[in-house]
Amino acid sequence: VETIVRGLRRKVAGKRIDSVRVGLKKMAVAPPGLDFATEVTGERIEGVGRRGKYAVIRLKSGRRLAVSLRMTGRLVVLSGSGPYPYAYVELGLSGGVRLIFADVRQFGRMRLVDRREGWDADLGVEPLSGAFTPDRFIAMLSGRTTPVKAFLLDQRRIAGIGNIYACEALWEAGIHPAKPAGSLLKPAARRLHGALGAVLRRAIVLRGSSIDDYVDADGSKGGFQNVLSVYGKEGTSCSRCGGEIVRTVIRGRGTWWCRKHQKLE
Ligand SMILES: [Zn+2]
């Protein structure tokens, strides 16, 4: 999402929304009693940011379009008028470009939120922000019996860590994913904190991970999937220690880890 947002920002900041086409109502949500297209038409885009896994398009009125892409959503900027596959929301912008929200599986949402609406109140700390210090992370883990992997994915605690990055960070820190979060000793918690930052920054430099359908605002794939150490690698040997990479399921999510250097005890 960070990569998508960076690409979008360059292309749409400052543009006016001249027209809105909603092809699938559930994908463009407005506050109760308001019509999405009517409200958004005529707005100007001030900027584009990110909060957790949401792309956030800031509008001049102070309102926002909070976009969740889920697994297969795409935000793509196109010039010209040709059709785009699964384009369910289309914003016609000044300068003759279109911002298209497409989603094969239709799980994504573009939601218009009021200035005063606390739409992100359920989202936790941003893992790349200065507020996410090692000490804060240690305090957050304290007393938690949740498997540490599930803790990392809980968007109410830390916002924006997905399955790929949780697996990779735990591998890098040498921590078993099923270990109760509160049982991590301070040195391990510090290692994990460092690994989370390193993995996320590396992924951003490589412009994200293109597993499934992800593409950025230019329609390009990311490069992080080519440098994965553990995610999706069951049956291969660990590049660090030669141990076997295995896949288990933790709280319903596929989880990859090294049997040798990510020990439970
Ligand atoms: Zn290993």
Side-chain angles (χ1 to χ4, degrees):
V1 179
E2 182 64 33
T3 300
I4 291 167
V5 160
R6 288 178 184 195
L8 271 187
R9 193 178 290 147
R10 277 186 289 116
K11 297 181 168 191
V12 305
K15 293 199 183 294
R16 197 181 54 242
I17 302 171
D18 289 331
S19 64
V20 176
R21 187 188 68 81
V22 177
L24 187 64
K25 262 205 141 61
K26 68 173 181 182
M27 288 188 58
V29 184
L34 298 179
D35 176 65
F36 183 90
T38 309
E39 294 299 316
V40 173
T41 303
E43 276 275 15
R44 192 176 285 277
I45 297 176
E46 285 215 320
V48 186
R50 180 190 58 75
R51 177 76 174 101
K53 297 179 183 177
Y54 292 83
V56 182
I57 301 170
R58 292 192 308 277
L59 304 175
K60 187 125 191 265
S61 65
R63 300 184 294 182
R64 290 166 162 74
L65 295 171
V67 186
S68 68
L69 298 166
R70 303 293 294 274
M71 297 299 284
T72 55
R74 294 179 174 195
L75 281 170
V76 182
V77 180
L78 294 179
S79 45
S81 59
Y84 190 85
Y86 309 102
Y88 293 121
V89 186
E90 207 173 305
L91 308 182
L93 306 180
S94 52
V97 297
R98 293 179 297 155
L99 172 56
I100 287 173
F101 182 33
D103 192 348
V104 182
R105 289 167 71 177
Q106 306 177 353
F107 289 137
R109 294 289 179 270
M110 181 179 276
R111 192 168 149 221
L112 175 65
V113 288
D114 271 330
R115 202 180 338 197
R116 286 183 302 276
E117 201 176 327
W119 71 275
D120 65 345
D122 287 343
L123 295 178
V125 63
E126 288 287 329
L128 291 176
S129 73
F132 185 61
T133 60
D135 285 343
R136 176 152 180 199
F137 184 46
I138 289 167
M140 288 167 71
L141 292 168
S142 170
R144 299 275 155 204
T145 54
T146 324
V148 60
K149 158 82 184 323
F151 181 91
L152 295 179
L153 295 184
D154 185 347
Q155 302 296 302
R156 297 167 303 176
R157 312 270 171 216
I158 306 169
I161 298 178
N163 202 22
I164 297 170
Y165 305 116
C167 290
E168 292 292 315
L170 287 163
W171 178 88
E172 192 152 313
I175 294 168
H176 192 290
K179 209 170 161 57
S183 75
L184 260 61
L185 298 176
K186 279 187 184 177
R190 285 183 192 283
R191 258 192 346 265
L192 180 54
H193 179 276
L196 284 169
V199 164
L200 291 172
R201 287 193 186 89
R202 204 182 309 143
I204 289 169
V205 168
L206 291 170
R207 306 175 56 78
S209 307
S210 288
I211 293 175
D212 295 321
D213 224 31
Y214 157 78
V215 288
D216 67 15
D218 296 306
S220 315
K221 285 184 175 283
F224 194 72
Q225 72 280 5
N226 302 319
V227 298
L228 293 171
S229 299
V230 69
Y231 180 91
K233 302 246 175 204
E234 70 267 33
T236 66
S237 308
C238 175
S239 60
R240 177 184 294 184
C241 74
E244 183 194 3
I245 303 294
V246 292
R247 177 188 187 275
T248 52
V249 175
I250 294 178
R251 297 276 167 98
R253 305 296 304 276
T255 304
W256 289 262
W257 47 283
C258 168
R259 219 190 261 288
K260 195 167 162 192
H261 90 264
Q262 292 175 268
K263 291 233 191 276
L264 198 50
E265 291 310 322

